[in-house]
């Protein structure tokens, strides 16, 4: 059933693409936007969102959506209480966007099938919070590094959506293997750099 849901999402996106007027004659094809050259060092540690985090892994993730393609940096963080989080640079393509997102348990009745049925602009209830779907995407890790990176970013494609609620951002991703959900907030880039600072890999 999950596979059918994924197929349904692809079909819906294809239909939407066909409905959009062709702009090839007016505009050149949209280029693939690379991720920012600067990246955070694995092993860097600092305070974000009133928690001390350490960067334990990194992935360069390729993202496709209606309107273009881009790469973004994703970092796996661990707090001093051993709580995981994702720090994403370029959640919706902005090169200076930084979002700190913590994993949340998806509602029992919200499955990959339900996620695949969502459309841009639709509202849904996630654990008592009303969120609005901002965009749909297809992502795939291009490269990963760090001890747990292959587990956090398994090989293969992920379907997903980004959603918003007042003062919060959400990201849902799913495959045939299941669904993950993260919830968090936008950070100021200068605060991220002050805490974790970009630079070369730290020596082990």
């Amino acid at each position: 059933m999950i596979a059918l849901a994924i197929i349904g999402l692809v079909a819906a996106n294809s239909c939407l693409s066909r409905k959009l007027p062709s702009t090839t004659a007016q505009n050149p094809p949209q280029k693939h936007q690379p991720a920012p050259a600067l990246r955070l060092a694995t092993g860097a540690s600092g305070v974000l969102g009133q928690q001390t985090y350490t960067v334990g892994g990194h992935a360069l993730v390729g993202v496709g959506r209606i309107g273009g393609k881009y790469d973004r940096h994703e970092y796996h963080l661990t707090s001093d209480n051993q709580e995981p989080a994702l720090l994403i640079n370029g959640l919706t393509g902005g090169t200076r966007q930084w979002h700190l997102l913590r994993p949340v348990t998806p509602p029992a009745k919200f499955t990959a099938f339900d996620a695949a049925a969502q459309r841009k602009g639709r509202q849904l209830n996630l654990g008592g919070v009303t969120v609005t779907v901002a965009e749909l995407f297809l992502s795939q890790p291009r490269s990963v590094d760090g001890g747990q990176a292959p587990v956090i970013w398994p090989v293969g494609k992920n379907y997903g959506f980004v959603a918003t609620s007042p003062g919060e951002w959400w990201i849902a991703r799913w495959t045939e293997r299941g669904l993950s959900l993260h919830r968090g907030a936008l950070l100021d880039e200068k605060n991220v750099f002050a805490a974790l600072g970009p630079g070369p890999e730290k020596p082990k």
Side-chain angles (χ1 to χ4, degrees):
M1 182 171 288
I2 292 175
L4 290 175
I6 293 173
I7 293 170
L9 176 61
V10 174
N13 285 346
S14 298
C15 290
L16 182 54
S17 299
R18 287 196 296 269
K19 291 179 182 178
L20 295 175
S22 175
T23 57
T24 303
Q26 294 84 8
N27 301 304
Q30 192 167 18
K31 294 182 179 179
H32 188 119
Q33 176 181 300
L38 290 176
R39 57 161 287 186
L40 305 181
T42 298
S45 182
V47 178
L48 289 175
Q50 301 181 338
Q51 287 263 22
T52 299
Y53 286 102
T54 300
V55 179
H58 164 265
L60 178 64
V61 178
V63 182
R65 61 182 176 183
I66 295 177
K69 298 179 180 179
Y70 61 94
D71 291 340
R72 67 186 180 209
H73 293 296
E74 298 191 10
Y75 302 90
H76 178 252
L77 309 183
T78 304
S79 74
D80 49 4
N81 296 323
Q82 299 304 304
E83 296 174 344
L86 273 180
L87 180 63
I88 300 181
N89 176 204
L91 181 62
T92 60
T95 57
R96 302 187 66 180
Q97 281 183 332
W98 292 86
H99 291 82
L100 180 63
L101 304 157
R102 299 176 177 90
V104 294
T105 301
K109 294 184 179 180
F110 186 70
T111 65
F113 183 87
D114 299 306
Q118 302 309 310
R119 298 292 178 265
K120 183 176 180 178
R122 182 174 295 180
Q123 290 188 327
L124 64 150
N125 187 294
L126 293 176
V129 179
T130 299
V131 307
T132 303
V133 177
E135 70 176 37
L136 307 172
F137 66 84
L138 175 66
S139 67
Q140 183 170 8
R142 295 186 180 278
S143 64
V144 300
D145 56 80
Q148 299 183 40
V151 177
I152 299 161
W153 297 282
V155 174
K157 295 180 180 180
N158 286 262
Y159 296 87
F161 67 72
V162 174
T164 60
S165 59
E168 292 187 309
W169 290 76
W170 301 67
I171 180 172
R173 288 191 276 207
W174 63 93
T175 67
E176 293 93 338
R177 297 182 296 274
L179 177 144
S180 67
L181 186 64
H182 285 75
R183 172 184 187 179
L186 179 68
L187 301 179
D188 192 308
E189 184 176 66
K190 66 181 180 182
N191 293 336
V192 176
F193 286 170
L196 301 174
E201 186 84 5
K202 286 189 175 182
K204 305 296 184 186

